[in-house]
């Protein structure tokens, strides 16, 4: 259990104090945090709560969204990402998860959008480095390419990350987004020390109307979670494994119930 | 216009005689056909109708669906694919489009499913070769990986195709399924003489409840259709370009209206 980390987004409506308490009581070492609820709770207060419970923060989600035609808007995002880096540092985590952003409105220029992501990383990486925070590029499933994330495969994420030192920019291996890729095991091997997190949930169909909420509990779908975990291990990753599920039914269920189920399913299907 | 081909599935409820008539009247050389309506119309009768109109068949859609746990079921699919090859030959087209099938029910074994596809191809390729038909592996968008097609990228399709002679097994480059891939231009170059068709439609969000019907008219979405076409050209492909759109609103519109719009959009966005 020493690698397990529940990302608080999995129990979105459970108060932070409850999910921290449950994690500590279960003897866990890690917890994954999300910017908006942490800002609401207070970053320093959250850092103290987590530390007092004997937990460490596996990652902070999330920054990014570098793609906009308007330079002022792009600059505002850079500022916001600097704040996210400061928050990550204050929370004592070395990993800030980044989602790149989709195509700018009305644009079809994928290469151009990906260049904006590279430029954003270049602006942020030294700032993050000074604060002991590494930037983790998360490829999202290709169905989110146009409107949310132009980085759609682990190979694409590595093409970006490798333009920076591994100590500054790495990648997030999220099983939900990457499992279908015939090339994913080769890319995990390529990623090596750049793997900053392994995140788990499961793939089920049909997709819900809001495709962002389509993730299922581990074991309910078709992803080879254990095989992907073993590949990350073999590539040298021995850090926390985050459960990150956005799912309306799970959000509506009692927090402790979801907490217990996720822990059981992790043991059954991941580790 | 000498490369343009309307796949009849784009105007699903328009009678075959109408879409053939409209294609001939527009001075086109090609038409794309779909198995089920052609079987219903009569294969030989359809072949005569098309030939009499001075048209050639760009491709027959579609065979495949090789993934099933039950060997009897797999064998039945092989038989059905042999019939599809016979139909393609009778219609005078050298291209049979194949969709691989998803994961077998209850399975998470992607490698195993992909091996079933390879085995199916191995059984069919010599039979097709004798009849002058090439098998075109179509990668579908990764959102269809679990339930419809375990081949989710052009690279994955080529990994399969390259186990056979290029004269027997090739790939279909469908813009809707492949546009998001950071590696797609490299893979198109790799595909070279194995490209058997370039198919166009467009990507829009949100996806409809039935994700199979999410394709949009060229120009309505975010795909660089002309760039992908130019890449296929550069790789040596000079065959027909098929418009293939599954979309409830287009199906409900008058056939001639959709026919005219598709032709105009092709000139504006593809060629």
């Amino acid at each position: 259990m020493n690698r397990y980390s529940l990302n608080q987004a999995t129990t979105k409506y459970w108060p932070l104090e409850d999910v921290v308490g449950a994690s500590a009581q279960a003897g866990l070492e890690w917890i994954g945090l999300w910017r908006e609820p942490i800002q609401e709770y207070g970053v320093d207060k959250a850092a103290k709560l987590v530390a007092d419970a004997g937990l460490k923060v596996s990652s902070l989600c999330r920054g990014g969204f570098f793609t906009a035609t308007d330079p002022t808007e792009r600059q505002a995002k850079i500022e916001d990402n600097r704040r996210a880096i400061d928050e990550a540092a204050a929370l004592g985590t070395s990993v800030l998860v980044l989602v790149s952003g989709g195509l700018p409105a009305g644009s079809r220029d994928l290469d151009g959008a990906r260049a904006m992501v590279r430029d954003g990383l270049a602006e942020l990486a030294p700032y993050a480095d000074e604060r002991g925070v590494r930037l983790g590029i998360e490829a999202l499933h290709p169905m989110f390419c146009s409107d949310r994330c132009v980085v759609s495969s682990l190979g694409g994420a590595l093409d970006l990350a490798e333009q920076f030192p591994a100590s500054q920019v790495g990648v997030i291996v999220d099983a939900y987004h990457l499992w279908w890729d015939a090339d994913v095991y080769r890319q995990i091997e390529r990623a090596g020390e750049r793997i900053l997190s392994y995140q788990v949930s499961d793939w089920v169909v049909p997709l819900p109307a809001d495709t962002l909420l389509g993730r299922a509990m581990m074991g309910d779908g078709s992803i080879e979670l254990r095989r992907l975990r073993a590949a990350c291990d073999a590539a040298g990753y021995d850090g926390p494994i985050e459960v990150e599920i956005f799912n309306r039914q799970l959000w509506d269920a009692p927090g402790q119930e979801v907490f217990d189920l996720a822990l059981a399913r992790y043991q059954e299907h991941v580790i």
Side-chain angles (χ1 to χ4, degrees), chain A residues 195-247:
Chain A
I195 300 174
L196 303 190
S197 180
Y198 176 47
Q199 297 185 328
V200 294
S201 60
D202 217 331
W203 175 272
V204 292
V205 286
L207 298 168
D210 182 348
T211 47
L212 284 172
L213 305 187
R215 305 190 199 192
M217 181 56 74
M218 298 80 74
D220 284 347
S222 44
I223 306 181
E224 294 176 289
L225 292 168
R226 182 167 279 122
R227 183 180 176 200
L228 285 163
R229 194 265 307 151
C232 290
D233 290 0
Y237 181 68
D238 58 5
I241 297 170
E242 265 190 36
V243 172
E244 191 194 56
I245 315 176
F246 312 142
N247 179 298

Side-chain angles (χ1 to χ4, degrees), chain A residues 184-197:
Chain A
V184 71
Y185 294 101
R186 201 176 64 83
Q187 296 298 336
I188 287 173
E189 197 184 335
R190 172 185 168 198
E193 61 174 338
R194 288 189 193 262
I195 300 174
L196 303 190
S197 180

Side-chain angles (χ1 to χ4, degrees), chain A residues 112-225:
Chain A
R114 286 167 180 154
M116 287 178 188
V117 180
R118 182 203 59 216
D119 293 348
L121 291 168
E123 281 210 61
L124 292 172
Y127 185 90
D129 194 32
E130 283 167 20
R131 282 147 190 85
V133 174
R134 294 168 83 190
L135 304 176
I137 306 170
E138 179 168 6
L140 295 201
H141 193 283
M143 69 184 168
F144 299 117
C145 183
S146 68
D147 58 343
R148 182 155 292 259
C149 186
V150 292
V151 182
S152 304
S153 64
L154 187 53
L158 287 167
D159 289 346
L160 282 164
E162 288 174 354
Q163 300 179 48
F164 303 91
S167 61
Q168 292 181 7
V169 181
V171 294
I172 308 297
V173 178
D174 185 313
Y176 184 81
H177 297 304
L178 304 175
W179 72 279
W180 52 267
D181 188 352
D183 204 30
V184 71
Y185 294 101
R186 201 176 64 83
Q187 296 298 336
I188 287 173
E189 197 184 335
R190 172 185 168 198
E193 61 174 338
R194 288 189 193 262
I195 300 174
L196 303 190
S197 180
Y198 176 47
Q199 297 185 328
V200 294
S201 60
D202 217 331
W203 175 272
V204 292
V205 286
L207 298 168
D210 182 348
T211 47
L212 284 172
L213 305 187
R215 305 190 199 192
M217 181 56 74
M218 298 80 74
D220 284 347
S222 44
I223 306 181
E224 294 176 289
L225 292 168

